[in-house]
Amino acid sequence: MPERIPTRVVAIDPVAPDAAIIAEAAALIRAGRLVAFPTETVYGLGANATDEAAVLRIFAAKERARDDPLIVHLAEAADLASISGRLCGSGAALAAAFWPGPLTLVVSRGAGIPATVSAGLDTVAVRVPAHPVARALIRAAGVPIAAPSANRFMRTSATTAAHVFEDLDGRIDLILDGGPAAAGLESTVVVATDSEVRILRQGAITAEEIERVLGFVPLAGPGRAGIQPSPGMMAKHYAPRTPLVLINDPAAAALARAVGELRGDGRHVGVLASSDDLAALGALPNVTPFDLGPADNRAVQASRLFAGLRALDAAGVDVILARTLPDEGLGRAINDRLRRAATTIVGAAGPAAD
Ligand code: TXA
Ligand code: MG
C-alpha cells in the first residue's frame, strides 16, 4: 500500500474549464504528482508521461500490474511527433477521422517516452481526447500525460468523480470533477503499424465506424508474433464485487426466468437491464433494478453501464443479472465488458468462449 496522501476533489466546468484550476492541476502534473481528470470516455488517472517516477506512482496507486501498458494523452495530433515516429497510412486515416476523440492508436514508441509507460514494449498507445478539461490540462502541463482509467486495477472504470474517489481516495493528489463522462466506455484501441492494423479493445468508436474509414474491419484474427494483445483483453476485468450472472440470450423471457429462479432460491437480485426489459419484468420483491435506458439507445446504455455495476454493488444485492445485446455497434463493446465482468455466463449459446 502506498503512503496515504490527502486527495482533494475540485469541481470544474466541463465546457469552459477555469484557467486557475487547470494551472494548479498542471503544476501538480509537472511536479510528478497524480491528477484524475474527466475525458469523454471515462475518468483518467494522469501523470507526466516523460517522468518515470511519476508513471510508477500511477501503477502503485491503482495496484496495477507492471506489464499492463498505459495510454499517453496528447492535446493535439501534431504533438505525436514528440513521442513517436510517423503514422502508417491506416493510422493516419483513423487519426484524421477520430482525433480528438475516443480512439487510441498503438504505434512505435519514440525515445521521449520511458519504457515503463509501455510496460517495456517498443510500441506506445496514444490518444488525443476531445474533452475540454483533458485538453486544457495537457496543454497547460506542457507534457504528454500518461493516464489509465482512474479505477483500482481489475475493477470497473470510473465514469464519475465519486467513482474515482471511492477507488483512489488517499492515493492521489487531485480529482477534477467535471461531471459524468459522456461515453461511459473506454476508447477503442487499434494497433496501427506498417505490419498490422487490428482492433485490440472494442470501445466508444464502433467497428462499423472504423470500417467506414478503412474499408475493412480489422477485427479478430490471430495476433502476429511480437504484438502483445492488450492486457485489457484479460478474461476477468471490470468486475463488481458482487457475482454477476450474464444471460447470453437475446430473449427478454430468459432474463425473467433467471430472475425467478434466483428469487426462488431466496436471493436478492440486482437487475442491470434496459427500461424495456425492466418494464416487462415489473416491480418484484427482492429485486433491485438499475435502468440502463431505452433498449434502442445503445449510447445511453453504454454511458450507464459502469455506473450501474457500481450502484448494484453498493446496494448489497446477492447477485447481479444482465443480458447480452446483439453483437453490433456499441453492443459489441458493452457485451465485451459484461463478459469480462461476469462470474458466470449462461444461455442459449452456452458459456461464451473468451
Ligand atoms: O478511454 C480510455 O482509453 C481511458 C481514458 C482515460 O483515456 N483510458 C484507459 O486506459 O482505458 P487503460 O489503461 O485502462 O486501458 C489501456 C488499454 C489497456 O487494454 C492496455 O493493455 C492497452 O490500452 N495498451 C496500452 N498500451 C498498449 C500497447 N503498447 N500495446 C497494446 N496495448 C496497449
Ligand atoms: Mg482500465
Side-chain angles (χ1 to χ4, degrees):
M1 250 288 275
E3 185 195 337
R4 208 182 148 76
I5 54 172
T7 300
R8 280 192 312 133
V9 183
V10 175
I12 189 159
D13 187 321
V15 179
D18 183 287
I21 299 173
I22 290 290
E24 190 190 344
L28 283 169
I29 293 283
R30 277 196 305 274
R33 310 305 303 180
L34 301 183
V35 177
F37 58 95
T39 85
E40 70 278 22
T41 58
V42 298
Y43 273 70
L45 175 58
N48 179 354
T50 66
D51 175 346
E52 185 165 24
V55 170
L56 286 170
R57 284 198 185 99
I58 291 180
F59 284 91
K62 284 193 59 149
E63 294 176 42
R64 182 176 173 114
R66 288 279 291 279
D67 62 356
D68 192 349
L70 306 177
I71 297 173
V72 175
H73 296 68
L74 301 174
E76 307 287 342
D79 298 339
L80 188 65
S82 66
I83 65 161
S84 168
R86 64 174 184 89
L87 288 175
C88 68
S90 295
L94 291 172
F98 299 117
W99 279 353
L103 172 79
T104 294
L105 290 175
V106 173
V107 299
S108 64
R109 179 169 56 85
I113 298 297
T116 312
V117 170
S118 289
L121 300 172
D122 57 8
T123 54
V124 61
V126 190
R127 170 160 118 77
V128 180
H131 198 292
V133 171
R135 298 190 81 187
L137 177 62
I138 304 163
R139 216 174 266 131
V143 291
I145 294 185
S149 51
N151 51 282
R152 290 269 197 101
F153 189 52
M154 301 293 276
R155 294 276 163 206
T156 308
S157 294
T159 57
T160 67
H163 296 160
V164 181
F165 190 79
E166 189 178 295
D167 278 17
L168 299 173
D169 175 33
R171 295 163 176 247
I172 66 177
D173 299 273
L174 178 64
I175 302 171
L176 294 177
D177 181 356
L185 278 181
E186 302 85 349
S187 62
T188 302
V189 179
V190 180
V191 58
T193 63
D194 287 328
S195 57
E196 175 149 22
V197 180
R198 189 163 56 96
I199 296 178
L200 298 179
R201 179 176 73 181
Q202 302 274 355
I205 289 177
T206 64
E208 290 85 348
E209 287 172 294
I210 287 175
E211 183 180 18
R212 279 199 284 278
V213 173
L214 296 182
F216 64 98
V217 193
L219 262 180
R224 296 206 195 157
I227 305 234
Q228 173 174 321
S230 278
M233 301 297 282
M234 279 180 296
K236 189 79 181 151
H237 205 147
Y238 308 105
R241 293 181 171 82
T242 313
L244 171 71
V245 176
L246 182 62
I247 315 294
N248 195 22
D249 189 328
L255 184 71
R257 208 162 42 238
V259 171
E261 280 166 17
L262 287 164
R263 286 179 62 234
D265 290 347
R267 285 194 278 175
H268 192 131
V269 188
V271 181
L272 183 71
S274 69
S275 324
D276 307 59
D277 276 1
L278 292 176
L281 205 57
L284 293 167
N286 287 327
V287 170
T288 301
F290 187 95
D291 190 343
L292 288 174
D296 61 2
N297 194 333
R298 297 275 184 265
V300 169
Q301 292 184 50
S303 73
R304 294 185 187 166
L305 180 69
F306 290 145
L309 287 170
R310 282 183 183 253
L312 291 175
D313 232 0
V317 297
D318 299 317
V319 57
I320 301 172
L321 269 181
R323 78 181 170 102
T324 50
L325 299 171
D327 248 326
E328 61 193 27
L330 284 175
R332 260 194 262 256
I334 293 172
N335 288 343
D336 171 78
R337 303 303 187 272
L338 284 172
R339 290 194 181 109
R340 288 173 211 292
T343 325
T344 316
I345 303 178
V346 292
D354 212 0

